[in-house]
């Protein structure tokens, strides 16, 4: 990562080499996952509002790819939107492309993922957090929780199986839920200290399913949803569809 500061904002430059890696994401079974710079899970991207994210992408896959910044407006820059064959042609195998994302007008929780075929489901996804320059409310620390559905079969393999079945009666099912990139057997613990007030960013990178998120014994207050700030709303849990994001206290 390269960061160039101008005093008021920064140019945050990342270099992503998109490939595949055989890895165990549940502590037991090894399967192929799309990776960035030979890393799985793909590291979350953090910037501060007003920064310019410069994402240099090298496609080392054997199929085209593209990067979509989910929730970013791309006003007048829709050619960086990453929707293959809609706003761009995609990045051919062995080629490079640079995305430039201006965060002047947005803040909150977003995510980066492929919009090509089933690459999202096969691991090409990570949170993209645009931090406020000034905290909107008072809290001591932040935590990030993001969730993925994962299977030991590629999405294309699953579709080949289910195409022979009655899809209306037998929906696609994933074997596990990943927390911060790994199954609960092997993921790094998220530690909370008594007496501290936390902002928890909760991001659903799920493909097709809803997630019910609860913190037993605790009441939560939503302070932003899908990149839009709101007055604190007290809830006892979150019902999250694919792609939804919240910040809670």
């Amino acid at each position: 990562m390269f960061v160039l500061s101008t005093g008021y904002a920064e140019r945050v430059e990342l270099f992503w080499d998109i490939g595949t890696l055989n890895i165990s994401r549940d502590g037991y079974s090894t399967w192929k996952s799309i990776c960035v710079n030979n890393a799985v899970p793909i590291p979350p991207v953090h910037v501060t509002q007003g920064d310019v994210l410069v994402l240099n992408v090298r496609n080392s896959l054997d199929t085209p790819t593209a990067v979509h910044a989910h929730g970013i407006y791309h006003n007048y820059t829709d050619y960086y939107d990453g929707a293959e064959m809609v706003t761009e042609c995609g990045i051919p195998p062995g080629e490079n492309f640079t995305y430039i994302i201006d965060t002047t007008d947005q803040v909150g929780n977003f995510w980066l993922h492929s919009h090509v075929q089933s690459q999202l489901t096969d691991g090409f996804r990570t949170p993209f957090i645009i931090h406020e320059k000034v905290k909107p409310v008072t809290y001591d620390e932040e935590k990030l929780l993001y969730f993925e559905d994962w299977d030991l079969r590629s999405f294309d393999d699953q579709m080949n199986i289910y195409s022979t079945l009655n899809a209306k009666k037998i929906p696609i099912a994933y074997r596990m839920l990943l927390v911060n990139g790994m199954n609960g057997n092997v993921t790094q613990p998220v530690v909370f200290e008594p007496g501290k007030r936390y902002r928890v960013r909760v991001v659903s990178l799920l493909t097709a399913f809803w997630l019910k998120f609860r913190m037993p014994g605790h009441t939560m207050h939503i302070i932003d949803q899908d990149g839009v700030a709101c007055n604190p709303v007290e809830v006892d849990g979150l019902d999250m569809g694919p792609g939804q994001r919240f910040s809670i206290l």
Side-chain angles (χ1 to χ4, degrees):
M1 182 176 73
F2 179 77
V3 177
L4 177 64
S5 177
T6 62
Y8 298 98
E10 293 181 340
R11 177 185 173 95
V12 180
E13 190 162 11
L14 300 178
F15 297 87
W16 277 13
D17 187 354
I18 310 300
T20 59
L21 182 68
N22 289 321
I23 188 172
S24 173
R25 303 185 77 172
D26 64 356
Y28 300 103
S29 305
T30 299
W31 189 249
K32 183 171 68 176
S33 177
I34 293 179
C35 65
V36 165
N37 302 334
N38 214 37
V40 174
I42 299 171
V45 175
H46 294 265
V47 300
T48 300
Q49 186 178 21
D51 291 349
V52 175
L53 174 63
V54 180
L55 185 59
N56 302 287
V57 178
R58 169 75 175 177
N59 182 12
S60 293
L61 300 170
D62 57 8
T63 59
T65 193
V67 180
H68 172 66
H70 191 106
I72 297 299
Y73 296 146
H74 283 300
N75 292 328
Y76 308 110
T77 58
D78 56 337
Y79 40 83
Y80 290 136
D81 189 49
E84 187 203 27
M85 306 312 296
V86 178
T87 59
E88 66 172 83
C89 294
I91 309 169
E95 298 296 329
N96 305 306
F97 188 78
T98 297
Y99 295 89
I100 299 177
I101 301 173
D102 189 336
T103 67
T104 301
D105 298 324
Q106 291 186 261
V107 68
N109 307 317
F110 305 91
W111 56 304
L112 302 171
H113 64 83
S114 174
H115 239 314
V116 178
Q117 300 173 359
S118 60
Q119 292 175 4
L120 181 159
T121 308
D122 295 333
F124 195 166
R125 50 192 174 187
T126 195
F128 173 36
I129 309 300
I130 305 176
H131 295 267
E132 301 93 341
K133 292 183 179 179
V134 179
K135 291 181 181 180
V137 294
T138 301
Y139 54 87
D140 298 306
E141 291 184 30
E142 286 191 12
K143 300 291 184 180
L144 173 62
L145 291 172
Y146 59 97
F147 300 93
E148 303 170 66
D149 36 22
W150 187 248
D151 200 282
L152 301 180
R153 299 164 294 182
S154 70
F155 184 79
D156 289 339
D157 288 343
Q158 292 182 71
M159 289 304 295
N160 289 335
I161 294 171
Y162 284 99
S163 65
T164 64
L165 304 173
N166 186 336
K168 293 182 179 179
K169 294 182 179 180
I170 307 176
I172 292 178
Y174 292 83
R175 279 188 203 178
M176 67 191 76
L177 181 72
L178 305 182
V179 181
N180 291 0
M182 294 291 181
N183 179 265
N185 296 315
V186 292
T187 195
Q188 292 297 313
V190 179
V191 179
F192 296 87
E193 296 182 28
K196 286 189 175 182
R197 192 184 199 200
Y198 290 90
R199 176 183 187 163
V200 183
R201 299 179 183 269
V202 187
V203 181
S204 169
L205 310 185
L206 300 177
T207 301
F209 298 102
W210 285 74
L211 170 74
K212 292 184 178 293
F213 177 81
R214 303 287 186 271
M215 299 183 75
H218 295 274
T219 299
M220 299 179 287
H221 293 83
I222 298 171
I223 59 172
D224 71 56
Q225 178 181 354
D226 298 336
V228 178
C230 63
N231 292 324
V233 177
E234 183 175 316
V235 296
D236 60 3
L238 304 173
D239 291 330
M240 303 180 66
Q244 284 195 287
R245 299 92 60 200
F246 291 88
S247 285
I248 57 173
L249 295 176

